[in-house]
Amino acid sequence: GQNIDQPTEMTATEGAIVQINCTYQTSGFNGLFWYQQHAGEAPTFLSYNVLDGLEEKGRFSSFLSRSKGYSYLLLKELQMKDSASYLCAVGAMDTGRRALTFGSGTRLQVQP
Amino acid sequence: GAVVSQHPSRVICKSGTSVKIECRSLDFQATTMFWYRQFPKQSLMLMATSNEGSKATYEQGVEKDKFLINHASLTLSTLTVTSAHPEDSSFYICSARDWKGGASYEQYFGPGTRLTVT
C-alpha cells in the first residue's frame, strides 16, 4: 500500500514564499502530483514529477527525491487567492489501476 | 481541452431514495474514470475505478451494491447512490484519464457533486 504524509495546516504572509512538504512510502512509484483545491471545488492540477529534481512553473515549483520518498511544493510571491488546500498524490503500479492515492491535504492560509 | 463535467452539481434527496450522478469527458475519450468521495476538511478517498465496458473495481470498504457504477461509453460514467442515508452526504468527485494517456497517471477532475441526504 501507500502512505502519504503532509502537514495539516500552514499559514503564510502575502508576498512571501511557502514550502509544503510531502513524504511518501510506496512500491512501484510512478510519479507524484500536486493539486490545488479551493473549498467546495474540485482539485486543479499544479505539477507532476516523475524524475528527481525541480520543476518550475511560474510562481509554483515542485521538487522530487525518489530515494528519500520526498517532495515539496514551493509557492512564491504568495497571493490571497493562494489560500486553499494543497494535495499531494502518488501514482503507484501496485494499485493496478493507475489510480492516484492522495495525502490528507495541507490547508494554506495566506494572511495580509 | 481535457474538460470533465458532472451533473448535478448539487442534489438534496430524502433518506431511502436513490440518486444518479453523471460524469462526462467533454473533449476526450476516457477509458478509465475514477469516483472519489470527500468529507469536510478531509482528502479525496477513492471509491472505485470505472473502465468502459467492464465492471467497476471497488476499493475496500465500499459497498458495490450501494454505489452502482456504470461506464457505458468512452465519455460517460454514472454513479448511483442507492437507498441513500444521511451518512452518505458528501462531496462526490469524478475524474477521467485520457485514452491517449498511455502510462500517464494524470487525471482530469470534474467540478464535483454535493449530495445532501435528509
Side-chain angles (χ1 to χ4, degrees):
Chain A
Q2 300 98 53
N3 187 36
I4 302 173
D5 289 315
Q6 51 181 130
T8 304
E9 293 184 347
M10 297 183 72
T11 302
T13 305
E14 190 176 15
I17 300 173
V18 70
Q19 177 174 312
I20 303 173
N21 297 323
C22 172
T23 58
Y24 64 89
Q25 294 174 317
T26 187
S27 56
F29 176 80
N30 258 279
L32 188 141
F33 294 80
W34 283 96
Y35 286 86
Q36 180 191 61
Q37 186 180 27
H38 286 97
E41 299 180 10
T44 55
F45 171 80
L46 290 178
S47 69
Y48 171 60
N49 295 68
V50 66
L51 299 176
D52 291 350
L54 187 68
E55 294 281 342
E56 297 185 81
K57 188 184 297 184
R59 294 189 299 116
F60 291 37
S61 303
S62 57
F63 172 83
L64 175 67
S65 169
R66 288 173 295 171
S67 62
K68 296 181 179 179
Y70 168 68
S71 173
Y72 68 72
L73 179 69
L74 193 70
L75 291 76
K76 303 176 184 177
E77 301 171 13
L78 280 173
Q79 302 175 8
M80 298 300 290
K81 67 178 182 179
D82 296 329
S83 293
S85 286
Y86 291 85
L87 308 176
C88 171
V90 173
M93 284 301 292
D94 63 356
T95 65
R97 302 173 296 287
R98 299 191 185 282
L100 295 177
T101 300
F102 284 84
S104 57
T106 299
R107 285 191 298 278
L108 173 67
Q109 181 69 42
V110 180
Q111 297 178 338
Chain B
V3 178
V4 176
S5 70
Q6 271 184 251
H7 178 80
S9 57
R10 291 178 179 272
V11 58
I12 300 173
C13 70
K14 292 186 178 181
S15 186
T17 61
S18 295
V19 174
K20 180 185 284 189
I21 302 170
E22 292 186 349
C23 177
R24 294 182 184 271
S25 56
L26 298 185
D27 51 2
F28 67 99
Q29 293 182 324
T31 52
T32 304
M33 289 185 173
F34 303 91
W35 287 96
Y36 295 87
R37 181 167 52 184
Q38 187 176 34
F39 292 105
K41 295 188 177 181
Q42 296 186 21
S43 191
L44 281 72
M45 296 299 296
L46 180 65
M47 298 175 65
T49 303
S50 167
N51 292 298
E52 187 266 338
S54 63
K55 291 183 178 181
T57 302
Y58 290 82
E59 295 300 301
Q60 191 173 7
V62 177
E63 300 175 58
K64 62 180 181 180
D65 293 331
K66 180 172 181 62
F67 298 98
L68 301 179
I69 291 172
N70 184 281
H71 194 155
S73 75
L74 286 172
T75 59
L76 173 65
S77 176
T78 60
L79 168 67
T80 301
V81 183
T82 63
S83 187
H85 291 286
E87 56 265 31
D88 297 324
S89 298
S90 186
F91 192 47
Y92 291 86
I93 306 175
C94 74
S95 70
R97 284 184 64 236
D98 195 329
W99 166 264
K100 297 177 183 176
S104 170
Y105 282 72
E106 184 169 359
Q107 299 175 23
Y108 304 99
F109 285 87
T113 297
R114 175 76 59 192
L115 170 63
T116 303
V117 184
T118 61

